[in-house]
Amino acid sequence: MNSAEIISLFDQYVMPTYGRLPLAFVRGHGSRVWDAEGKEYLDFGGGIAVNVLGHAALTKVLAEASAQLVHVSNLYYNIPQGRLAEKLVKLVGVPGKVFFCNSGGEANEALYKLARKWGNGQGAAGAAPSNSAGGGLGSSQAASGRYEIITFLGSFHGRTMAGISATGQEKVKHGFEPLLEGFRHVPFNDLDAVAKAIGPKTAAILLEPIQGESGIKPATPEFLRGLRKLCDERGLLLMYDEVQCGIGRTGEFCGFRAIAPDAVPDAMSWAKGLAGGFPMGAIWARQPYQDVLGPGTHATTFGGTPLASSVALAVLETIERDGLMANAKTMGDYFMSRLRQLPGIKEVRGVGCMIGMELPVEAKPFILKLAQNGLIGVIAGTHVVRFLPALNVTRAEVDEAVEKVKASL
Ligand SMILES: *Cc1c(COP(=O)(O)O)cnc(C)c1O
């Protein structure tokens, strides 16, 4: 099939929920993809932060794991899910437990439910409000009747009903009213606004340590530390949506650690890069919140199948074995420094391989121009081109990308 035929199939049979670019890919290898006409592209969109090892990197584990055991249901135990949970808890480096699901929106749903269950005073015994400082006001308060979650303007938390209610962007909500109640939006990086928004019904604060969809906007270290302190003082859960910034992309396994390593959350969500392109999401919660979602309170048929868990384990082991977090940091810093030397760009910002290039004009036509020149970038907000390359991207590939950006400006 050629690209026109593929696009025509979509026009007839696929719901028109995306403003797609007229590109139809048929094959990929490493950081490269090919379209139906055989044209080669350097893929610096990474499937929106998903393909952390690049393309065609999962073949061996998919074949081996699928020959062993694909799915058994979470009514039983399986080896890969247990080992993956252990690996994730060790990578976070803080004692806790993990729940598995299939996507970022679904992972965040688990966070909202955890916060509400806890805020309604129905959590596991001993799950008193967080107190990492070891003796703040929060420690003696028992949570009850609290369900509100503070989120931020410009945030993105997924397309489920709770996700669009949590998201701090009007465009995702329009036409879907009434939204789920219990979310309050405040300006990002504004600690005073957060403090003012906290009320008797507030249970948690949820944020992306680096806002992705709205244009690669990192939280400041003072903001993350301030939120941690506020949550300790007021007895609230601090929750990070690391669906996009997690899994090593920033140079640290956890995105927040690249900003403020001491601002450890109480719970955190992952998806996108977790299984390198195989669909998987998860949340982690630390002691004593790790048992708040007890038997019968939450579930998903496909979460943590032996197949998905085996793939994620292989991805995480490769990231560690090949030093890909350090590579993401080095290559991201190098790419940003090269982009900053080019004329005609308003601002280049980001952390590691999570990079935003803000233009003085709308980004969409420029992204098409980039594609014509053989480079894939992803739009963020209206004026930002996002680059989310594989964590194993090479210096030669970055140099090539810089030349393509230069040719497109
Ligand atoms: C992509 C994304 C989501 C939604 O993930 P899906 O897998 O599309 O449901 C949620 N939060 C953030 C920060 C994201 O980048």
Short mmCIF file of all heavy atoms in Angstrom, two decimals, residues 131-200:
data_model
loop_
_atom_site.label_atom_id
_atom_site.label_comp_id
_atom_site.label_asym_id
_atom_site.label_seq_id
_atom_site.Cartn_x
_atom_site.Cartn_y
_atom_site.Cartn_z
N ASN A 131 4.62 12.31 56.23
CA ASN A 131 5.42 13.14 57.12
C ASN A 131 6.88 12.79 56.97
O ASN A 131 7.49 12.25 57.88
CB ASN A 131 4.95 12.95 58.54
CG ASN A 131 5.67 13.89 59.48
OD1 ASN A 131 6.33 14.81 59.02
ND2 ASN A 131 5.54 13.65 60.75
N SER A 132 7.43 13.12 55.82
CA SER A 132 8.82 12.74 55.57
C SER A 132 9.78 13.50 56.47
O SER A 132 10.88 13.07 56.73
CB SER A 132 9.17 12.98 54.10
OG SER A 132 9.13 14.36 53.82
N ALA A 133 9.33 14.65 57.00
CA ALA A 133 10.22 15.44 57.86
C ALA A 133 10.34 14.81 59.24
O ALA A 133 11.22 15.16 60.01
CB ALA A 133 9.68 16.86 57.99
N GLY A 134 9.47 13.90 59.58
CA GLY A 134 9.58 13.17 60.84
C GLY A 134 8.86 13.81 62.01
O GLY A 134 9.07 13.46 63.15
N GLY A 135 7.96 14.73 61.82
CA GLY A 135 7.24 15.28 62.97
C GLY A 135 6.46 16.54 62.66
O GLY A 135 6.35 17.43 63.50
N GLY A 136 5.94 16.66 61.48
CA GLY A 136 5.16 17.85 61.13
C GLY A 136 3.75 17.77 61.65
O GLY A 136 3.38 16.82 62.33
N LEU A 137 2.94 18.76 61.31
CA LEU A 137 1.56 18.83 61.76
C LEU A 137 0.75 17.66 61.24
O LEU A 137 -0.18 17.21 61.88
CB LEU A 137 0.92 20.12 61.24
CG LEU A 137 1.49 21.43 61.79
CD1 LEU A 137 0.96 22.60 60.99
CD2 LEU A 137 1.14 21.56 63.27
N GLY A 138 1.12 17.20 60.05
CA GLY A 138 0.30 16.22 59.36
C GLY A 138 0.19 14.89 60.06
O GLY A 138 -0.81 14.22 59.94
N SER A 139 1.19 14.52 60.82
CA SER A 139 1.27 13.14 61.27
C SER A 139 0.11 12.70 62.16
O SER A 139 -0.22 11.55 62.20
CB SER A 139 2.59 12.92 62.00
OG SER A 139 2.67 13.81 63.08
N SER A 140 -0.51 13.65 62.86
CA SER A 140 -1.54 13.22 63.79
C SER A 140 -2.95 13.36 63.20
O SER A 140 -3.92 12.94 63.81
CB SER A 140 -1.46 14.06 65.07
OG SER A 140 -1.62 15.43 64.74
N GLN A 141 -3.04 13.96 61.97
CA GLN A 141 -4.38 14.13 61.40
C GLN A 141 -4.83 12.87 60.69
O GLN A 141 -4.10 12.34 59.87
CB GLN A 141 -4.36 15.28 60.37
CG GLN A 141 -4.03 16.61 60.98
CD GLN A 141 -3.70 17.64 59.88
OE1 GLN A 141 -3.64 17.32 58.71
NE2 GLN A 141 -3.47 18.87 60.32
N ALA A 142 -6.03 12.41 60.98
CA ALA A 142 -6.59 11.29 60.23
C ALA A 142 -7.39 11.85 59.07
O ALA A 142 -8.22 12.73 59.25
CB ALA A 142 -7.49 10.46 61.14
N ALA A 143 -7.11 11.37 57.88
CA ALA A 143 -7.82 11.87 56.72
C ALA A 143 -9.24 11.34 56.70
O ALA A 143 -9.47 10.17 56.94
CB ALA A 143 -7.09 11.45 55.45
N SER A 144 -10.23 12.20 56.39
CA SER A 144 -11.58 11.72 56.13
C SER A 144 -12.36 12.80 55.42
O SER A 144 -12.17 13.98 55.66
CB SER A 144 -12.28 11.28 57.41
OG SER A 144 -12.75 12.40 58.11
N GLY A 145 -13.26 12.40 54.52
CA GLY A 145 -14.07 13.36 53.77
C GLY A 145 -13.25 14.26 52.89
O GLY A 145 -13.68 15.36 52.54
N ARG A 146 -12.08 13.82 52.52
CA ARG A 146 -11.24 14.64 51.65
C ARG A 146 -11.10 13.95 50.29
O ARG A 146 -10.71 12.80 50.22
CB ARG A 146 -9.88 14.85 52.30
CG ARG A 146 -9.99 15.76 53.52
CD ARG A 146 -8.83 15.63 54.46
NE ARG A 146 -7.57 15.62 53.77
CZ ARG A 146 -6.39 15.52 54.38
NH1 ARG A 146 -6.33 15.43 55.69
NH2 ARG A 146 -5.29 15.52 53.69
N TYR A 147 -11.42 14.66 49.26
CA TYR A 147 -11.38 14.04 47.93
C TYR A 147 -10.78 14.96 46.87
O TYR A 147 -10.54 14.54 45.76
CB TYR A 147 -12.78 13.61 47.50
CG TYR A 147 -13.76 14.75 47.43
CD1 TYR A 147 -13.89 15.50 46.26
CD2 TYR A 147 -14.54 15.09 48.54
CE1 TYR A 147 -14.77 16.57 46.20
CE2 TYR A 147 -15.42 16.16 48.48
CZ TYR A 147 -15.53 16.91 47.32
OH TYR A 147 -16.39 17.97 47.27
N GLU A 148 -10.57 16.22 47.25
CA GLU A 148 -10.10 17.16 46.22
C GLU A 148 -8.63 16.94 45.89
O GLU A 148 -7.81 16.67 46.77
CB GLU A 148 -10.27 18.59 46.74
CG GLU A 148 -11.25 19.37 45.91
CD GLU A 148 -11.48 20.76 46.48
OE1 GLU A 148 -10.53 21.39 46.96
OE2 GLU A 148 -12.64 21.18 46.45
N ILE A 149 -8.33 17.07 44.60
CA ILE A 149 -6.94 16.96 44.15
C ILE A 149 -6.58 18.26 43.44
O ILE A 149 -7.29 18.69 42.51
CB ILE A 149 -6.77 15.75 43.20
CG1 ILE A 149 -7.14 14.45 43.93
CG2 ILE A 149 -5.33 15.68 42.67
CD1 ILE A 149 -7.15 13.20 43.05
N ILE A 150 -5.52 18.88 43.87
CA ILE A 150 -5.05 20.10 43.22
C ILE A 150 -4.15 19.72 42.04
O ILE A 150 -3.21 18.93 42.20
CB ILE A 150 -4.29 21.00 44.23
CG1 ILE A 150 -5.26 21.50 45.31
CG2 ILE A 150 -3.61 22.17 43.50
CD1 ILE A 150 -4.61 22.30 46.41
N THR A 151 -4.47 20.25 40.86
CA THR A 151 -3.63 20.02 39.68
C THR A 151 -3.29 21.39 39.08
O THR A 151 -3.68 22.42 39.63
CB THR A 151 -4.33 19.14 38.63
OG1 THR A 151 -5.50 19.81 38.17
CG2 THR A 151 -4.72 17.78 39.20
N PHE A 152 -2.59 21.41 37.95
CA PHE A 152 -2.01 22.67 37.48
C PHE A 152 -2.43 23.08 36.08
O PHE A 152 -2.68 22.23 35.22
CB PHE A 152 -0.48 22.59 37.59
CG PHE A 152 -0.08 22.49 39.03
CD1 PHE A 152 -0.01 21.26 39.66
CD2 PHE A 152 0.11 23.64 39.78
CE1 PHE A 152 0.27 21.16 41.02
CE2 PHE A 152 0.39 23.55 41.13
CZ PHE A 152 0.47 22.31 41.75
N LEU A 153 -2.48 24.37 35.87
CA LEU A 153 -2.76 24.91 34.54
C LEU A 153 -1.65 24.46 33.60
O LEU A 153 -0.48 24.46 33.97
CB LEU A 153 -2.84 26.44 34.59
CG LEU A 153 -3.99 26.99 35.46
CD1 LEU A 153 -3.93 28.52 35.51
CD2 LEU A 153 -5.34 26.53 34.95
N GLY A 154 -2.04 24.06 32.40
CA GLY A 154 -1.06 23.59 31.43
C GLY A 154 -0.72 22.12 31.58
O GLY A 154 0.05 21.58 30.81
N SER A 155 -1.32 21.46 32.57
CA SER A 155 -1.00 20.04 32.80
C SER A 155 -1.72 19.16 31.77
O SER A 155 -2.64 19.61 31.09
CB SER A 155 -1.44 19.62 34.21
OG SER A 155 -2.84 19.75 34.36
N PHE A 156 -1.28 17.93 31.68
CA PHE A 156 -1.99 16.93 30.88
C PHE A 156 -1.94 15.60 31.62
O PHE A 156 -0.86 15.12 31.98
CB PHE A 156 -1.37 16.77 29.49
CG PHE A 156 -2.10 15.75 28.67
CD1 PHE A 156 -3.31 16.06 28.07
CD2 PHE A 156 -1.61 14.46 28.52
CE1 PHE A 156 -4.02 15.11 27.33
CE2 PHE A 156 -2.30 13.50 27.78
CZ PHE A 156 -3.51 13.83 27.18
N HIS A 157 -3.12 15.02 31.87
CA HIS A 157 -3.15 13.78 32.64
C HIS A 157 -3.93 12.65 31.96
O HIS A 157 -4.25 11.65 32.60
CB HIS A 157 -3.72 14.04 34.03
CG HIS A 157 -2.89 15.01 34.82
ND1 HIS A 157 -1.58 14.75 35.18
CD2 HIS A 157 -3.15 16.26 35.28
CE1 HIS A 157 -1.10 15.79 35.85
NE2 HIS A 157 -2.02 16.72 35.93
N GLY A 158 -4.23 12.81 30.67
CA GLY A 158 -4.89 11.72 29.96
C GLY A 158 -6.30 12.06 29.56
O GLY A 158 -6.84 13.09 29.94
N ARG A 159 -6.93 11.17 28.78
CA ARG A 159 -8.21 11.47 28.13
C ARG A 159 -9.40 10.75 28.72
O ARG A 159 -10.49 10.76 28.12
CB ARG A 159 -8.09 11.14 26.65
CG ARG A 159 -7.06 12.00 25.92
CD ARG A 159 -7.53 13.43 25.78
NE ARG A 159 -6.68 14.16 24.85
CZ ARG A 159 -7.13 15.15 24.07
NH1 ARG A 159 -8.37 15.55 24.15
NH2 ARG A 159 -6.29 15.77 23.25
N THR A 160 -9.23 10.07 29.85
CA THR A 160 -10.40 9.51 30.52
C THR A 160 -11.22 10.66 31.11
O THR A 160 -10.75 11.80 31.15
CB THR A 160 -9.96 8.59 31.67
OG1 THR A 160 -9.23 9.38 32.62
CG2 THR A 160 -9.08 7.44 31.18
N MET A 161 -12.42 10.40 31.59
CA MET A 161 -13.23 11.48 32.17
C MET A 161 -12.52 12.12 33.35
O MET A 161 -12.50 13.35 33.48
CB MET A 161 -14.62 10.96 32.59
CG MET A 161 -15.65 10.89 31.47
SD MET A 161 -15.87 12.42 30.51
CE MET A 161 -16.29 13.61 31.75
N ALA A 162 -11.93 11.31 34.22
CA ALA A 162 -11.20 11.90 35.35
C ALA A 162 -9.94 12.60 34.83
O ALA A 162 -9.55 13.64 35.35
CB ALA A 162 -10.83 10.82 36.37
N GLY A 163 -9.34 12.03 33.79
CA GLY A 163 -8.13 12.62 33.22
C GLY A 163 -8.37 14.01 32.67
O GLY A 163 -7.59 14.94 32.92
N ILE A 164 -9.47 14.19 31.91
CA ILE A 164 -9.73 15.52 31.35
C ILE A 164 -10.22 16.47 32.46
O ILE A 164 -10.03 17.67 32.36
CB ILE A 164 -10.72 15.50 30.16
CG1 ILE A 164 -12.10 14.99 30.54
CG2 ILE A 164 -10.13 14.69 29.00
CD1 ILE A 164 -13.13 15.10 29.42
N SER A 165 -10.80 15.91 33.50
CA SER A 165 -11.19 16.76 34.64
C SER A 165 -9.95 17.24 35.38
O SER A 165 -9.88 18.39 35.82
CB SER A 165 -12.11 15.99 35.59
OG SER A 165 -13.22 15.45 34.91
N ALA A 166 -8.96 16.39 35.48
CA ALA A 166 -7.71 16.75 36.18
C ALA A 166 -6.85 17.68 35.35
O ALA A 166 -6.14 18.54 35.87
CB ALA A 166 -6.92 15.47 36.51
N THR A 167 -6.89 17.50 34.03
CA THR A 167 -6.03 18.27 33.13
C THR A 167 -6.35 19.76 33.17
O THR A 167 -7.51 20.15 33.11
CB THR A 167 -6.20 17.72 31.68
OG1 THR A 167 -5.64 16.41 31.64
CG2 THR A 167 -5.50 18.60 30.65
N GLY A 168 -5.32 20.57 33.25
CA GLY A 168 -5.50 22.02 33.34
C GLY A 168 -5.48 22.71 31.99
O GLY A 168 -4.76 23.70 31.81
N GLN A 169 -6.24 22.16 31.02
CA GLN A 169 -6.34 22.79 29.70
C GLN A 169 -7.78 22.68 29.23
O GLN A 169 -8.31 21.57 29.13
CB GLN A 169 -5.44 22.07 28.68
CG GLN A 169 -3.97 22.09 29.01
CD GLN A 169 -3.15 21.45 27.89
OE1 GLN A 169 -3.18 21.89 26.76
NE2 GLN A 169 -2.44 20.37 28.23
N GLU A 170 -8.39 23.82 28.91
CA GLU A 170 -9.80 23.86 28.52
C GLU A 170 -10.09 23.00 27.29
O GLU A 170 -11.13 22.37 27.18
CB GLU A 170 -10.26 25.29 28.27
CG GLU A 170 -10.55 26.07 29.54
CD GLU A 170 -11.45 25.31 30.52
OE1 GLU A 170 -12.54 24.85 30.10
OE2 GLU A 170 -11.06 25.16 31.69
N LYS A 171 -9.14 22.96 26.35
CA LYS A 171 -9.45 22.33 25.06
C LYS A 171 -9.78 20.83 25.18
O LYS A 171 -10.52 20.31 24.34
CB LYS A 171 -8.29 22.55 24.07
CG LYS A 171 -7.00 21.86 24.46
CD LYS A 171 -5.90 22.05 23.42
CE LYS A 171 -4.68 21.24 23.82
NZ LYS A 171 -3.46 21.63 23.13
N VAL A 172 -9.30 20.16 26.21
CA VAL A 172 -9.60 18.72 26.33
C VAL A 172 -10.96 18.46 26.96
O VAL A 172 -11.49 17.35 26.91
CB VAL A 172 -8.52 17.95 27.13
CG1 VAL A 172 -7.14 18.17 26.55
CG2 VAL A 172 -8.56 18.31 28.61
N LYS A 173 -11.53 19.51 27.60
CA LYS A 173 -12.78 19.33 28.35
C LYS A 173 -14.01 19.66 27.54
O LYS A 173 -15.10 19.17 27.81
CB LYS A 173 -12.76 20.26 29.58
CG LYS A 173 -11.57 20.10 30.49
CD LYS A 173 -11.55 21.22 31.55
CE LYS A 173 -10.22 21.31 32.25
NZ LYS A 173 -10.17 20.55 33.49
N HIS A 174 -13.80 20.52 26.52
CA HIS A 174 -14.91 21.12 25.79
C HIS A 174 -15.84 20.06 25.19
O HIS A 174 -15.42 19.18 24.45
CB HIS A 174 -14.35 22.03 24.70
CG HIS A 174 -15.41 22.83 24.03
ND1 HIS A 174 -16.14 23.80 24.69
CD2 HIS A 174 -15.90 22.78 22.77
CE1 HIS A 174 -17.02 24.33 23.86
NE2 HIS A 174 -16.90 23.72 22.69
N GLY A 175 -17.13 20.16 25.52
CA GLY A 175 -18.12 19.25 24.97
C GLY A 175 -18.33 17.99 25.80
O GLY A 175 -19.19 17.18 25.47
N PHE A 176 -17.55 17.83 26.86
CA PHE A 176 -17.66 16.60 27.66
C PHE A 176 -18.24 16.85 29.06
O PHE A 176 -18.20 15.99 29.92
CB PHE A 176 -16.30 15.91 27.77
CG PHE A 176 -15.80 15.44 26.42
CD1 PHE A 176 -14.77 16.12 25.78
CD2 PHE A 176 -16.39 14.36 25.79
CE1 PHE A 176 -14.32 15.71 24.53
CE2 PHE A 176 -15.94 13.95 24.53
CZ PHE A 176 -14.91 14.61 23.90
N GLU A 177 -18.77 18.06 29.25
CA GLU A 177 -19.34 18.40 30.53
C GLU A 177 -20.60 17.55 30.80
O GLU A 177 -21.26 17.15 29.85
CB GLU A 177 -19.70 19.90 30.57
CG GLU A 177 -18.54 20.84 30.35
CD GLU A 177 -18.18 21.05 28.87
OE1 GLU A 177 -18.86 20.44 28.01
OE2 GLU A 177 -17.25 21.78 28.58
N PRO A 178 -20.99 17.25 32.03
CA PRO A 178 -20.30 17.69 33.24
C PRO A 178 -19.04 16.88 33.54
O PRO A 178 -19.04 15.66 33.35
CB PRO A 178 -21.34 17.47 34.34
CG PRO A 178 -22.18 16.34 33.83
CD PRO A 178 -22.20 16.48 32.33
N LEU A 179 -18.02 17.57 34.00
CA LEU A 179 -16.78 16.90 34.34
C LEU A 179 -16.88 16.31 35.73
O LEU A 179 -17.80 16.61 36.49
CB LEU A 179 -15.64 17.92 34.27
CG LEU A 179 -15.44 18.51 32.87
CD1 LEU A 179 -14.52 19.72 32.93
CD2 LEU A 179 -14.89 17.48 31.92
N LEU A 180 -15.90 15.48 36.05
CA LEU A 180 -15.85 14.90 37.39
C LEU A 180 -15.48 16.01 38.38
O LEU A 180 -14.58 16.80 38.11
CB LEU A 180 -14.76 13.83 37.40
CG LEU A 180 -14.76 12.85 38.55
CD1 LEU A 180 -15.96 11.91 38.42
CD2 LEU A 180 -13.48 12.04 38.52
N GLU A 181 -16.18 16.07 39.50
CA GLU A 181 -15.82 17.14 40.44
C GLU A 181 -14.63 16.73 41.31
O GLU A 181 -14.24 15.55 41.34
CB GLU A 181 -17.02 17.53 41.29
CG GLU A 181 -17.56 16.44 42.17
CD GLU A 181 -18.72 16.96 43.02
OE1 GLU A 181 -18.51 17.91 43.81
OE2 GLU A 181 -19.83 16.42 42.89
N GLY A 182 -14.07 17.71 41.97
CA GLY A 182 -13.00 17.40 42.91
C GLY A 182 -11.60 17.73 42.40
O GLY A 182 -10.62 17.29 42.99
N PHE A 183 -11.50 18.47 41.31
CA PHE A 183 -10.18 18.93 40.85
C PHE A 183 -10.14 20.45 40.87
O PHE A 183 -11.09 21.11 40.47
CB PHE A 183 -9.88 18.41 39.43
CG PHE A 183 -9.72 16.93 39.38
CD1 PHE A 183 -10.78 16.12 38.98
CD2 PHE A 183 -8.52 16.32 39.75
CE1 PHE A 183 -10.65 14.73 38.94
CE2 PHE A 183 -8.38 14.94 39.70
CZ PHE A 183 -9.45 14.15 39.30
N ARG A 184 -9.04 20.98 41.35
CA ARG A 184 -8.84 22.42 41.39
C ARG A 184 -7.56 22.74 40.67
O ARG A 184 -6.53 22.10 40.94
CB ARG A 184 -8.60 22.84 42.84
CG ARG A 184 -9.76 23.47 43.49
CD ARG A 184 -9.27 23.87 44.87
NE ARG A 184 -10.41 24.18 45.68
CZ ARG A 184 -10.51 25.29 46.38
NH1 ARG A 184 -9.53 26.17 46.40
NH2 ARG A 184 -11.58 25.52 47.08
N HIS A 185 -7.58 23.69 39.76
CA HIS A 185 -6.39 24.01 38.97
C HIS A 185 -5.76 25.31 39.43
O HIS A 185 -6.45 26.30 39.61
CB HIS A 185 -6.77 24.10 37.50
CG HIS A 185 -7.47 22.88 37.00
ND1 HIS A 185 -8.82 22.81 36.82
CD2 HIS A 185 -6.99 21.66 36.68
CE1 HIS A 185 -9.16 21.60 36.41
NE2 HIS A 185 -8.07 20.87 36.32
N VAL A 186 -4.46 25.29 39.61
CA VAL A 186 -3.75 26.51 40.00
C VAL A 186 -2.54 26.70 39.08
O VAL A 186 -2.09 25.75 38.43
CB VAL A 186 -3.30 26.45 41.49
CG1 VAL A 186 -4.49 26.29 42.41
CG2 VAL A 186 -2.31 25.34 41.72
N PRO A 187 -1.99 27.92 39.03
CA PRO A 187 -0.83 28.16 38.15
C PRO A 187 0.37 27.32 38.56
O PRO A 187 0.63 27.12 39.75
CB PRO A 187 -0.55 29.66 38.34
CG PRO A 187 -1.83 30.24 38.86
CD PRO A 187 -2.47 29.16 39.68
N PHE A 188 1.07 26.83 37.53
CA PHE A 188 2.26 25.98 37.74
C PHE A 188 3.40 26.83 38.29
O PHE A 188 3.54 28.01 37.95
CB PHE A 188 2.64 25.39 36.37
CG PHE A 188 3.61 24.25 36.41
CD1 PHE A 188 3.37 23.12 37.17
CD2 PHE A 188 4.78 24.29 35.66
CE1 PHE A 188 4.26 22.04 37.18
CE2 PHE A 188 5.68 23.22 35.66
CZ PHE A 188 5.41 22.10 36.42
N ASN A 189 4.21 26.22 39.12
CA ASN A 189 5.38 26.90 39.71
C ASN A 189 5.00 28.08 40.60
O ASN A 189 5.81 28.99 40.81
CB ASN A 189 6.37 27.35 38.63
CG ASN A 189 7.29 26.20 38.22
OD1 ASN A 189 7.60 25.31 39.02
ND2 ASN A 189 7.75 26.22 36.97
N ASP A 190 3.76 28.09 41.12
CA ASP A 190 3.31 29.18 41.99
C ASP A 190 2.88 28.58 43.34
O ASP A 190 1.75 28.14 43.53
CB ASP A 190 2.13 29.90 41.32
CG ASP A 190 1.66 31.11 42.12
OD1 ASP A 190 1.99 31.21 43.32
OD2 ASP A 190 0.94 31.94 41.54
N LEU A 191 3.84 28.56 44.26
CA LEU A 191 3.62 27.91 45.56
C LEU A 191 2.54 28.61 46.39
O LEU A 191 1.74 27.95 47.06
CB LEU A 191 4.95 27.89 46.32
CG LEU A 191 5.14 26.79 47.35
CD1 LEU A 191 4.89 25.42 46.79
CD2 LEU A 191 6.55 26.88 47.94
N ASP A 192 2.51 29.94 46.32
CA ASP A 192 1.50 30.68 47.08
C ASP A 192 0.09 30.31 46.63
O ASP A 192 -0.81 30.14 47.45
CB ASP A 192 1.69 32.19 46.90
CG ASP A 192 2.91 32.68 47.66
OD1 ASP A 192 3.37 31.94 48.56
OD2 ASP A 192 3.40 33.77 47.34
N ALA A 193 -0.06 30.18 45.31
CA ALA A 193 -1.38 29.82 44.77
C ALA A 193 -1.81 28.44 45.28
O ALA A 193 -2.98 28.22 45.58
CB ALA A 193 -1.35 29.84 43.25
N VAL A 194 -0.84 27.52 45.39
CA VAL A 194 -1.17 26.18 45.89
C VAL A 194 -1.60 26.27 47.35
O VAL A 194 -2.64 25.73 47.75
CB VAL A 194 0.03 25.22 45.77
CG1 VAL A 194 -0.35 23.83 46.27
CG2 VAL A 194 0.51 25.14 44.32
N ALA A 195 -0.81 27.00 48.14
CA ALA A 195 -1.12 27.12 49.57
C ALA A 195 -2.52 27.69 49.76
O ALA A 195 -3.28 27.22 50.61
CB ALA A 195 -0.07 28.00 50.25
N LYS A 196 -2.88 28.67 48.95
CA LYS A 196 -4.21 29.30 49.05
C LYS A 196 -5.33 28.36 48.62
O LYS A 196 -6.46 28.46 49.08
CB LYS A 196 -4.27 30.56 48.19
CG LYS A 196 -3.52 31.73 48.82
CD LYS A 196 -3.94 33.06 48.19
CE LYS A 196 -3.02 34.18 48.65
NZ LYS A 196 -1.98 34.48 47.65
N ALA A 197 -5.01 27.45 47.70
CA ALA A 197 -6.05 26.55 47.15
C ALA A 197 -6.35 25.38 48.08
O ALA A 197 -7.36 24.70 47.93
CB ALA A 197 -5.64 26.04 45.78
N ILE A 198 -5.47 25.11 49.03
CA ILE A 198 -5.68 23.97 49.93
C ILE A 198 -6.84 24.27 50.88
O ILE A 198 -6.88 25.32 51.51
CB ILE A 198 -4.40 23.66 50.75
CG1 ILE A 198 -3.27 23.23 49.81
CG2 ILE A 198 -4.67 22.58 51.80
CD1 ILE A 198 -1.92 23.11 50.50
N GLY A 199 -7.80 23.36 50.93
CA GLY A 199 -8.95 23.52 51.82
C GLY A 199 -9.17 22.27 52.63
O GLY A 199 -8.39 21.31 52.52
N PRO A 200 -10.25 22.25 53.44
CA PRO A 200 -10.51 21.07 54.28
C PRO A 200 -10.78 19.79 53.49
O PRO A 200 -10.68 18.70 54.02
CB PRO A 200 -11.75 21.47 55.09
CG PRO A 200 -12.32 22.67 54.42
CD PRO A 200 -11.22 23.32 53.65
#
